[in-house]
């Protein structure tokens, strides 16, 4: 932790802390949210979010603060207020995620999520409507029993039984299982069998 903080401090292009980490530990001790003398992971997530929004030298500022993503005043001024609203992490590995990527760090828009969910919630992620459900191309491919590459190829040819969504669904964090309607997938399966026969 100290070594990482010091490296960031010496790398101004990374927009890291200007201290070796002692300041963060001292502040954490004041509000009592330290574990074994180290700031808690909740505190470090809160601090990281503030830097992304407020520090132009931070490596992530261009996709957060520069495009108007802010932390609400209540949270920005008080870690205790932030913790009261979002609670403790269900698991130490979970990260802070914004439900609506166009809104800031504020009550009602932030939740703790597993790393795999955070990875799915990038602004560049393309979502599809499949059987009336939001899904990623990888989800669709798995449920159709084909490779992701094959699913993308079908989409380019207009044969994938799904349509692109202009924006990520508001409930994208929900981990729902896809339910297939075999009547809808029958034309797709027939097309796949024909392709297999042609390559035989």
């Amino acid at each position: 932790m100290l070594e990482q903080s010091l490296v960031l401090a010496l790398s101004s292009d990374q927009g890291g802390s200007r201290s070796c980490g002692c300041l963060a530990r001292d502040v954490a001790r004041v509000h009592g949210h330290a574990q074994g003398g180290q700031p808690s992971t909740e505190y470090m997530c809160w601090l990281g979010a503030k830097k992304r929004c407020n520090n132009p030298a931070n490596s992530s500022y261009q996709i957060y603060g520069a495009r108007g993503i802010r932390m609400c005043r209540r949270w920005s001024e008080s870690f205790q207020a932030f913790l009261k609203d979002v609670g403790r992490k269900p698991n130490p590995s979970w990260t802070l995620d914004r439900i609506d990527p166009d809104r800031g760090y504020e009550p009602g828009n932030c939740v703790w999520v597993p790393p795999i969910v955070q990875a799915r919630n990038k602004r560049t992620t393309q979502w599809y409507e499949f059987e009336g459900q939001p899904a990623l191309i990888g989800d669709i491919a798995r449920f159709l029993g084909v490779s992701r590459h094959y699913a993308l190829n079908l989409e380019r040819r207009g044969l994938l039984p799904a349509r692109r969504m202009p924006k990520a669904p508001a409930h994208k964090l929900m981990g729902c299982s896809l339910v297939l309607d075999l009547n809808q997938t029958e034309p797709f399966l027939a097309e796949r069998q024909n392709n297999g026969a042609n390559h035989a």
Side-chain angles (χ1 to χ4, degrees):
M1 171 89 179
L2 288 178
E3 181 181 353
Q4 182 184 29
S5 296
L6 188 55
V7 169
L8 288 174
L10 296 174
S11 304
S12 59
D13 61 323
Q14 294 298 312
S17 170
R18 291 297 178 181
S19 78
C20 64
C22 299
L23 178 59
R25 289 204 314 279
D26 290 343
V27 173
R29 287 195 190 101
V30 171
H31 58 59
H33 216 255
Q35 301 165 350
Q38 297 290 338
S40 66
T41 57
E42 290 88 353
Y43 179 80
M44 295 311 293
C45 283
W46 170 77
L47 191 62
K50 285 185 66 174
K51 287 182 178 181
R52 290 192 291 275
C53 293
N54 302 327
N55 184 359
N58 188 275
S59 59
S60 298
Y61 180 79
Q62 289 302 314
I63 56 176
Y64 287 88
R67 70 181 191 93
I69 300 301
R70 295 285 183 265
M71 179 177 284
C72 70
R73 184 173 179 178
R74 169 181 159 81
W75 287 3
S76 185
E77 294 179 351
S78 170
F79 167 71
Q80 290 92 335
F82 163 80
L83 191 64
K84 181 180 179 181
D85 291 338
V86 300
R88 287 178 174 270
K89 291 184 180 183
N91 184 290
S93 68
W94 286 28
T95 58
L96 186 65
D97 192 43
R98 289 172 296 119
I99 298 172
D100 184 342
D102 293 323
R103 288 170 52 197
Y105 293 94
E106 57 193 51
N109 196 45
C110 292
V111 290
W112 298 116
V113 298
I116 189 171
V117 174
Q118 178 84 319
R120 291 164 64 93
N121 292 344
K122 295 179 179 178
R123 288 176 60 240
T124 55
T125 299
Q126 176 61 60
W127 284 84
Y128 295 82
E129 183 181 324
F130 177 66
E131 295 291 313
Q133 307 160 81
L136 302 184
I137 193 72
D139 301 328
I140 299 170
R142 276 194 302 274
F143 280 93
L144 292 179
V146 299
S147 69
R148 185 176 184 278
H149 177 76
Y150 188 82
L152 284 170
N153 182 268
L154 285 173
E155 196 235 357
R156 283 193 291 270
R157 295 160 56 198
L159 298 174
L160 190 71
R163 69 174 183 83
R164 287 189 172 221
M165 298 178 68
K167 186 176 180 181
H171 56 292
K172 68 187 188 306
L173 300 177
M174 301 298 290
C176 59
S177 297
L178 293 177
V179 179
L180 297 183
D181 181 346
L182 295 181
N183 292 321
Q184 295 293 326
T185 57
E186 185 177 354
F188 159 79
L189 294 174
E191 190 274 342
R192 185 185 177 200
Q193 289 171 351
N194 289 336
N195 276 350
N198 293 334
H199 287 90

